Amino acid sequence: MTISRRALLAAAASLPVAVAGHGLAATALAQQFATGYHPRAESIADGIWMVRGADEAIAMTNGGAIANSAFIATDEGTILFDPGPSREYALALTALAEEVTGKPVTRVYVSHLHPDHALGAAGFAPELLHALPETRRELVDEGEGFADGMYRILADWMKGTALVLPNGDVKPGDVTYGGRKLRLLALQGHSGGDLALLDHATGTLIAGDLVFNNRAPATPHADIAAWQKSLTELAAVPHNILLPGHGPLDTGGLNTGGLDTGGLDTGGQDAIAQTADWLGWLDGALHDAVAQGLDMAEAGNIAIPGRFAGVKLARYELQRSVSHFYPALEAELLPRL
């Protein structure tokens, strides 16, 4: 597949990047690469485990493992929701899944195109990989650029990782796999195709990056109006607990049905509402910044409301969102000379 230099640069620019300081010695990096990934699984419901990503930007220190993944045990094998950023991470997830469920990974759902969720598809046979049709189309267009950008950022963490496209065969509705009844939801807004999954037996809603919990939402492919509509649809889905794409498990503000969270780190409030609140504030704040004549640097330094004080990466994601939205907003709102 060929891809233009412009597409490569655009994809790399949309990655959430943190650059390690010069004090991180090459020997320490070599030790990290040699040690590899060590994901951990936490039981969150009967037959469902959460694998928490770091609440950070993609960086050498975390190997790009910043997104949450989930294991769902079934009679036919383990379902993996989101295979992570690289082949090596996917292989670590595979071993972990078999350890905790007793069965190998036999189905993989890719929630959307972003590399911290999708590039781990390289660790699986293509027939195991499933995604929405729009996600496959977006990966055809941008996946190679994302892979190139991730190699530039993460070096040896990405060894052996090549773009492997999921089958774009997921349709919304109820499906049964290995005796487990699931509802697949085809939504959009964070990207052009955002997959969410509800496990009927436990009321566990796995939301992908439509929902961030106590971590500011990333917006490189966002359509805020469509995203808000999808959040309204998710809020209407009866569920007991929610696993966001980033941040801790959410039980606060939801009907937990008496669920014992066993001391798990939870958000303590409704993550759907928090995500919608951030997006609404962001949209209004950027429109106001353009109307006031602020340049992009000034817009990235506007005050963030106190209610978001506990939200990680708030300033960082605000500044990224300025780069994503501001040029189009200026073209739309400012008078032409």
Side-chain angles (χ1 to χ4, degrees):
M1 180 186 300
T2 60
I3 188 165
S4 69
R5 177 175 176 82
R6 181 178 180 183
L8 286 173
L9 292 173
S14 68
L15 295 173
V17 180
V19 179
H22 294 295
L24 187 59
T27 53
L29 285 176
Q31 289 173 351
Q32 281 187 299
F33 296 146
T35 302
Y37 295 103
H38 297 282
R40 296 176 56 192
E42 299 175 274
S43 176
I44 60 172
D46 185 20
I48 302 182
W49 291 260
M50 166 182 64
V51 180
R52 276 277 272 126
D55 293 328
E56 301 166 356
I58 292 171
M60 290 287 279
T61 52
N62 57 43
I66 66 170
N68 296 334
S69 298
F71 303 145
I72 304 174
T74 83
D75 295 339
E76 296 296 324
T78 303
I79 296 171
L80 168 61
F81 190 95
D82 276 344
S86 68
R87 178 179 179 273
E88 289 297 312
Y89 188 72
L91 294 178
L93 287 180
T94 299
L96 180 61
E98 190 157 2
E99 177 184 335
V100 300
T101 71
K103 293 187 177 180
V105 172
T106 53
R107 175 167 291 198
V108 179
Y109 287 116
V110 177
S111 66
H112 67 291
L113 83 157
H114 291 149
D116 50 325
H117 297 257
L119 290 183
F124 300 94
E127 61 268 20
L128 301 184
L129 301 166
H130 305 275
L132 294 169
E134 184 58 28
T135 296
R136 180 183 169 90
R137 285 193 289 270
E138 290 183 322
L139 281 167
V140 167
D141 291 341
E142 301 194 53
E144 293 284 3
F146 277 131
D148 182 81
M150 291 286 275
Y151 268 96
R152 292 172 186 270
I153 298 163
L154 298 178
D156 279 6
W157 288 112
M158 298 298 292
K159 63 185 178 183
T161 304
L163 178 64
V164 177
L165 294 171
N167 297 289
D169 56 356
V170 172
K171 298 178 181 179
D174 286 339
V175 299
T176 299
Y177 181 79
R180 197 121 197 176
K181 188 176 180 182
L182 311 170
R183 182 186 304 172
L184 302 176
L185 298 103
L187 301 167
Q188 60 182 329
H190 176 70
S191 69
D194 293 301
L195 177 65
L197 180 153
L198 175 71
D199 176 64
H200 282 284
T202 64
T204 302
L205 180 60
I206 304 174
D209 274 10
L210 286 168
V211 180
F212 287 66
N213 192 16
N214 288 342
R215 198 276 197 199
T219 60
H221 293 84
D223 177 330
I224 290 181
W227 195 341
Q228 294 280 33
K229 182 175 183 294
S230 290
L231 290 171
T232 299
E233 292 184 41
L234 280 180
V237 175
H239 58 280
N240 292 326
I241 56 175
L242 182 147
L243 179 59
H246 296 264
L249 182 73
D250 178 25
T251 62
L254 302 176
N255 172 19
T256 63
L259 176 75
D260 179 4
T261 62
L264 287 175
D265 180 23
T266 65
Q269 51 92 72
D270 186 340
I272 294 176
Q274 186 192 66
T275 303
D277 187 20
W278 174 275
L279 294 175
W281 166 75
L282 176 69
D283 190 44
L286 294 187
H287 277 77
D288 289 346
V290 172
Q292 293 169 27
L294 302 186
D295 63 25
M296 291 178 67
E298 292 169 326
N301 286 305
I302 61 174
I304 297 174
R307 65 184 184 274
F308 300 124
V311 173
K312 294 181 179 180
L313 298 183
R315 178 66 60 188
Y316 172 79
E317 290 295 356
L318 167 61
Q319 292 175 345
R320 292 184 70 223
S321 291
V322 169
S323 72
H324 301 149
F325 293 118
Y326 221 66
L329 285 174
E330 288 181 321
E332 174 189 348
L333 299 174
L334 296 180
R336 296 176 182 270
L337 298 179

